Amino acid sequence: MNNNLTRPLLLATALAGSFSLYSLTQKATLAPDPNNAGLKLPAGFGALVVAETGGHARHLAVTPQGTIYVKLNSPKNGKGILALHPGANGKAAAVTTGFGSYGGTGIYAKDNYLYASSDEEVFRYKLDAKGEVTNPAQPEKIVTGLINRRQHESKSIVLDNAGNLYVNIGAYSNSCQVKDRERGSLGRQNCPVLDSAGGIWQFRADKANQNYGTGTRYATGLRNVVGLDWNQQNNQLFVMQHGRDQLHDNFPALYDDKQSAELPAECMYALNKGANAGWPYLYYDGQKKQKMLPPEYGGDGKKLADPKYLDPVAAYPAHTAPDGLLFYTGTMFPERYRNGAFIAFHGSWNRAPEPQKGYYVVFQPFKNGKPSGEWEVFADNFAGTAAKAAAGRADHKPCGLAQGPDGSLYVSDDKAGTIYRIMYTKK
Amino acid sequence: MFVKNFLAGLALCAAIAAPVAAQKKPAAKAPAKKAASTIPAPLLAQGSSVYKQYCLTCHLADGLGVDGMNPPLAKTDYVLGDKTRLTKVLLNGLQGVDINGEQYRGVMPAQATLTDAQIAAVLTYVRNSFGNKASAVSAAEVKAVRAGK
């Protein structure tokens, strides 16, 4: 009985295998999937599914040789980093090769090293001439001992061109209330969270075992940054902040459901050393274009915050969760995209009972290193349908962005684990 | 013969794959079921009202929560199991639990300012919504947990 069942199964597997080999040889050239991987894109663009990893795929990095490293939020089969090797058709046949036993978000490749973060540490791996990691089991530990209180715990990373590593350390709090997220609880003066979190820390990229003592708090007053990138045009760090939640829940007399869904804006900041973006002492109202005093610190929806804090350079719809930022430096896409920013909006939860929003990749035009002109939705329909987006039940949630050696844009999805490749295909 | 075995193999693959595919899909959105007839409608209505005001932002209208942040209330042991533990979640708050193999990192603030009757109503409501079906929680039970906490 068992044998009877097994034999046809093996046969079918073998046949299926040879069919897929056959189809591989038939589709050896790079082309978008017939349905553009389910995405809605501007005319001239196409997309394909590189791989279905089945993991919570956070950020990703692509080497100059085309190997894709994907950081998983929790290890899958003991591997927290997947190494994908797409064939000539852009598809990665195997999604199980990997290393790194820790979950996390950050991953970044630069100058023959691959950097990756857990929620407490940053590691780096040596890359060989083929873009392959040579020491998967023995990475150098670059940074250790970062705070993880299981709220805004992801440590996103990026490098500049001077050997520095930037690490986001998110605030383990919504608005630095005495009792986090409790109705009516007031904000703490001299918010103690800011000593070890709520900002961007700078470390050397090549020095082992750095910690808070040896690092520098590069910028503060940032509640939680997940998407960040180094702008090559004006040599500056740009970050996307997740704005605070629950204005209505915590101060129902001051904010109704609708105001709470539309406030505050998600903000892009251009940082210099010493910058202070003002969290928790302000939130940004994208409609008024003003820095507002939060209710935890005596605000009422009308009072302005202390003007001394840094202004954002661009603002986006509230609660849509910008998790990936990438300055596009490739030549595959048309000229207008060059040096502009792509932003992956993971999608909201804190807009209920209003419809949820996000689940798309936005393009923000730039000129001379500054946002210039209105942002636009570039890749849409990660959710699957408008109804799924509105309910917050998206099929896919875009999280990480990376640029391939040919200028393709890669997007990771931490809901279903799909890895997308978006290409410009118009001749 | 060749074809037949191949088809049989395919059918078997499909049979194996089907339950896996079903698991991967988001839980089917069950219409809010009518609770057990023993639970009075006004109590459920009160619970629904408390839910909308205090719980919906994080756990959402379908009770399925938010991936990686706010746990689902549908078909979890936390909701359907021990009533004392469930009541303490509302009285004391909760953070950093794994439910059904998934991590949830959202902060559940204490809701101790709600009255015993409000807590009893909302717990009874969530235990009998989103496809759940379990016994009611009484205000007396909440009062006892609050006194002993």
Side-chain angles (χ1 to χ4, degrees):
Chain A
M1 176 64 190
N2 189 29
N3 200 27
N4 281 347
L5 273 175
T6 312
R7 265 168 58 196
L9 178 62
L10 286 176
L11 187 57
T13 311
L15 268 171
S18 45
F19 275 129
S20 58
L21 270 179
Y22 175 74
S23 58
L24 267 179
T25 52
Q26 286 297 294
K27 288 175 62 183
T29 50
L30 188 61
D33 291 348
N35 67 345
N36 283 333
L39 302 182
K40 286 183 187 152
L41 300 165
F45 288 88
L48 62 87
V49 170
V50 177
E52 297 287 1
T53 67
H56 298 301
R58 296 286 284 173
H59 286 175
L60 76 174
V62 187
T63 68
Q65 299 82 3
T67 301
I68 305 167
Y69 293 102
V70 181
K71 189 76 202 73
L72 301 182
N73 206 30
S74 45
K76 193 170 160 61
N77 303 320
K79 296 173 180 93
I81 300 171
L82 297 180
L84 307 179
H85 299 95
N89 62 351
K91 304 269 182 183
V95 294
T96 54
T97 311
F99 53 92
S101 58
Y102 52 92
T105 290
I107 195 156
Y108 195 77
K110 192 175 175 70
D111 298 338
N112 298 318
Y113 283 98
L114 179 72
Y115 297 78
S117 68
S118 69
D119 292 339
E120 300 89 17
E121 296 177 310
V122 183
F123 303 91
R124 78 167 180 176
Y125 301 85
K126 184 90 184 99
L127 293 170
D128 66 17
K130 292 177 181 165
E132 300 299 319
V133 164
T134 61
N135 54 340
Q138 293 94 24
E140 291 175 79
K141 189 181 284 183
I142 300 297
V143 183
T144 186
L146 302 180
I147 202 162
N148 170 13
R149 296 212 181 155
R150 307 194 83 181
Q151 180 176 185
H152 304 149
E153 70 281 5
S154 65
K155 305 293 185 284
S156 305
I157 55 174
V158 72
L159 273 73
D160 65 13
N161 297 315
N164 295 306
L165 168 74
Y166 299 83
V167 184
N168 170 66
I169 306 177
Y172 47 90
S173 170
N174 178 34
S175 190
C176 209
Q177 290 166 285
V178 173
K179 289 186 176 170
D180 190 23
R181 295 176 193 260
E182 282 203 24
R183 182 167 297 209
S185 177
L186 293 181
R188 302 167 77 176
Q189 299 303 322
N190 300 316
C191 177
V193 172
L194 293 166
D195 293 347
S196 61
I200 305 289
W201 266 254
Q202 184 193 51
F203 300 95
R204 289 301 298 172
D206 60 354
K207 210 173 133 194
N209 293 315
Q210 297 168 93
N211 54 33
Y212 280 110
T214 49
T216 303
R217 190 174 72 175
Y218 187 78
T220 190
L222 291 157
R223 178 176 174 272
N224 187 33
V225 166
V226 186
L228 75 178
D229 197 14
W230 190 260
N231 185 298
Q232 303 293 342
Q233 262 196 322
N234 54 354
N235 214 28
Q236 188 175 20
L237 180 63
F238 280 68
V239 301
M240 298 297 311
Q241 179 185 236
H242 286 217
R244 53 87 44 86
D245 300 323
Q246 291 176 294
L247 282 165
H248 168 72
D249 285 341
N250 292 348
F251 294 89
L254 297 173
Y255 299 88
D256 65 22
D257 282 335
K258 282 198 163 55
Q259 290 169 317
S260 197
E262 302 300 340
L263 291 171
E266 305 287 54
C267 291
M268 176 188 279
Y269 290 98
L271 300 179
N272 292 313
K273 191 172 181 176
N276 187 345
W279 180 90
Y281 312 114
L282 63 78
Y283 68 84
Y284 192 74
D285 184 326
Q287 287 146 358
K288 291 183 174 142
K289 297 187 166 51
Q290 293 279 10
K291 292 173 288 190
M292 310 300 296
L293 191 64
E296 290 84 357
Y297 291 92
D300 57 1
K302 299 178 191 75
K303 288 181 196 164
L304 299 183
D306 189 327
K308 70 181 176 186
Y309 298 112
L310 184 66
D311 276 313
V313 292
Y316 305 87
H319 310 300
T320 48
D323 276 1
L325 173 66
L326 177 89
F327 288 106
Y328 186 78
T329 57
T331 53
M332 176 198 261
F333 291 7
E335 176 68 30
R336 68 180 291 260
Y337 293 97
R338 210 143 318 144
N339 299 310
F342 287 101
I343 309 164
F345 285 92
H346 192 241
S348 69
W349 63 271
N350 196 228
R351 295 175 65 92
E354 294 296 299
Q356 305 293 344
K357 217 177 213 177
Y359 320 105
Y360 44 52
V361 175
V362 152
F363 178 68
Q364 170 67 63
F366 264 63
K367 199 174 175 187
N368 303 323
K370 289 192 175 68
S372 169
E374 290 300 303
W375 59 273
E376 64 205 35
V377 173
F378 174 75
D380 205 355
N381 201 42
F382 286 88
T385 65
K388 285 179 182 177
R393 301 292 167 222
D395 291 342
H396 304 273
K397 295 184 176 181
C399 183
L401 298 170
Q403 185 180 307
D406 69 346
S408 293
L409 177 67
Y410 290 82
V411 186
S412 53
D413 145 40
D414 75 352
K415 172 71 180 169
T418 305
I419 307 300
Y420 299 85
R421 177 175 179 175
I422 301 173
M423 303 173 292
Y424 189 68
T425 51
K426 199 172 162 188
K427 299 295 172 208
Chain B
M1 173 65 188
F2 193 72
V3 172
K4 212 167 124 192
N5 275 350
F6 177 54
L7 286 179
L10 273 189
L12 190 62
C13 289
I16 293 168
V20 174
Q23 277 171 19
K24 277 185 181 169
K25 280 183 187 166
K29 195 181 168 185
K33 264 188 194 154
K34 291 275 177 225
S37 54
T38 49
I39 297 170
L43 179 61
L44 287 174
Q46 189 197 355
S48 167
S49 162
V50 175
Y51 184 83
K52 281 183 186 137
Q53 200 178 346
Y54 296 94
C55 317
L56 185 145
T57 320
C58 297
H59 294 287
L60 303 191
D62 58 11
L64 297 178
V66 180
D67 299 327
M69 297 197 60
N70 309 324
L73 303 176
K75 294 167 189 165
T76 70
D77 186 53
Y78 267 91
V79 171
L80 296 171
D82 181 17
K83 288 197 264 187
T84 301
R85 180 177 70 172
L86 178 61
T87 304
K88 282 183 175 170
V89 171
L90 262 72
L91 291 173
N92 303 329
L94 186 71
Q95 193 200 352
V97 293
D98 288 9
I99 292 176
N100 299 336
E102 292 287 331
Q103 296 175 337
Y104 292 94
R105 301 290 178 85
V107 176
M108 160 101 182
Q111 306 287 343
T113 54
L114 297 178
T115 65
D116 293 343
Q118 283 177 309
I119 290 177
V122 77
L123 290 181
T124 301
Y125 172 77
V126 300
R127 281 163 65 87
N128 291 280
S129 302
F130 324 123
N132 293 337
K133 194 164 180 173
S135 60
V137 177
S138 71
E141 287 173 304
V142 175
K143 191 179 179 186
V145 175
R146 202 194 286 266
K149 74 169 180 159

